[in-house]
Amino acid sequence: MLTSSHPIIGVFDGHGCLGHSAAQLCKRVLPLVLSSVLVKDDTPEDAAITAFGETQELLLRMAFSEQKEYDRLQKRWLAFQSGDKQQDGDSGRAEEEGNLFSKNLPVCMDYGTTATLCFLSNNGKQLCIAHAGDSRCLVVKRKMNIKRDQKEPVDTSSSSSSSSVSGLPSSPKWELVYSSLDHNCYDDHEMESVVKRGGIVSSKQGDIRVYPRSMAKADAGERGLSLNMTRSLGHIVLSKEAGISPLPDIKLLDIDRSCEYLVIAASDGLWDFMPESDVIKGLNGMPMPMLVPTTAHEVSAQPRRRSMRSGAKRGGPLEQLVSKLMKSAMAAMERRFGGDNVTVAVLHLNSR
């Protein structure tokens, strides 16, 4: 989402019976709520917390309504099976609705989504990153080579490290500025926090999950009431009974006007198969000319195998970057016989 004062990118990775619905809702609602709050001159931290909180309330209300409707349909189906075909409607309709339950769909509407938002604040002087879950955000930067009498950067990406163009050194290397913390129980602080909030943590063959203290582990697994994260939006049950928190971690980064930045936000489908070091190494090995200074931001996103473009030129460097990351992650999945969906969003920042 792009606005005149607050360019925003986000990644939402749903999980649970209707996780895709949660991700789609957050994709549409969360940036809009954030933009409306930022207009009120709230601090970026307060704006992000407010936006996450309001979106969480909407998700829980939606799940509550869905649970009531599901319970009503289930009651009709049980009545139909017991022979009371006239209860609450005719038998034909009840039989049709009963197909839902014959497919062993979850009886608990507990689902949610990760949420990672990256946006500019304070008139472009700061980058704010707010996230809950394990959709990680990586920020890298490099110095810009610009002559004093030159309005546009010189493309030196094809030069070797020892060569120069018009007296300028070759393109500087991208270097790591920030990497967000995945909210899962592999982090000791996150694990302790979720236990204090009422969750139980269980580990089996390296898979660490959180489930409600009031339930046995086997029952929680059968009902889909366990999660491999400590924070998430949604989860009408796990948020109340297992300590899953919607509160985002927030990071503010000052923008160095002599540098350009790439903000890479992606679902765990990328980071599980590509270490951050490989991503940065790939950036430095990829011909990527410095973008025109008048381009304040570009966004390129690619969920799963389908491309979505917003602001990025077709075939431009950002789109090429997203495509390369996607292909590398897919190739790594095939080598390790794994599989997951992958969403990548990239924001380019150039302050000049």
Side-chain angles (χ1 to χ4, degrees), residues 174-351:
W174 294 101
E175 59 184 46
L176 177 65
V177 177
Y178 170 74
S179 174
S180 62
L181 171 70
D182 293 346
H183 293 142
N184 54 44
C185 289
Y186 295 101
D187 179 79
D188 291 341
H189 176 71
E190 284 294 310
M191 181 174 65
E192 292 171 2
S193 296
V194 79
V195 170
K196 288 180 180 178
R197 293 192 296 263
I200 294 290
V201 177
S202 173
S203 177
K204 183 179 180 180
Q205 297 180 343
D207 183 24
I208 306 179
R209 289 187 168 268
V210 182
Y211 63 95
R213 188 179 298 274
S214 59
M215 300 182 67
K217 178 183 175 183
D219 292 340
E222 289 179 0
R223 299 189 64 189
L225 292 175
S226 67
L227 190 64
N228 61 351
M229 282 175 280
T230 57
R231 304 196 203 187
S232 171
L233 290 180
H235 290 291
I236 190 170
V237 176
L238 293 180
S239 63
K240 297 178 181 178
E241 298 186 20
I244 301 301
S245 172
L247 185 67
D249 266 345
I250 300 173
K251 180 69 174 181
L252 282 178
L253 298 174
D254 293 329
I255 299 297
D256 183 347
R257 295 182 62 83
S258 67
C259 296
E260 63 177 342
Y261 294 77
L262 284 177
V263 183
I264 304 172
S267 62
D268 63 333
L270 176 72
W271 306 116
D272 284 351
F273 295 92
M274 285 193 69
E276 294 175 2
S277 57
D278 287 356
V279 173
I280 297 175
K281 182 178 179 181
L283 286 173
N284 286 322
M286 180 180 179
M288 187 184 300
M290 295 188 190
L291 305 181
V292 179
T294 53
T295 304
H297 46 70
E298 293 193 33
V299 180
S300 185
Q302 190 166 349
R304 299 181 186 264
R305 294 179 181 269
R306 182 180 55 183
S307 176
M308 293 177 58
R309 304 177 182 89
S310 176
K313 297 179 180 179
R314 185 182 296 272
L318 290 186
E319 188 177 89
Q320 292 176 24
L321 169 60
V322 170
S323 178
K324 180 177 180 178
L325 292 174
M326 294 288 293
K327 290 178 180 178
S328 297
M330 294 296 181
M333 287 182 193
E334 293 177 0
R335 290 194 299 269
R336 292 168 52 179
F337 303 101
D340 198 354
N341 53 27
V342 180
T343 299
V344 180
V346 178
L347 175 67
H348 169 259
L349 300 176
N350 187 327
S351 300

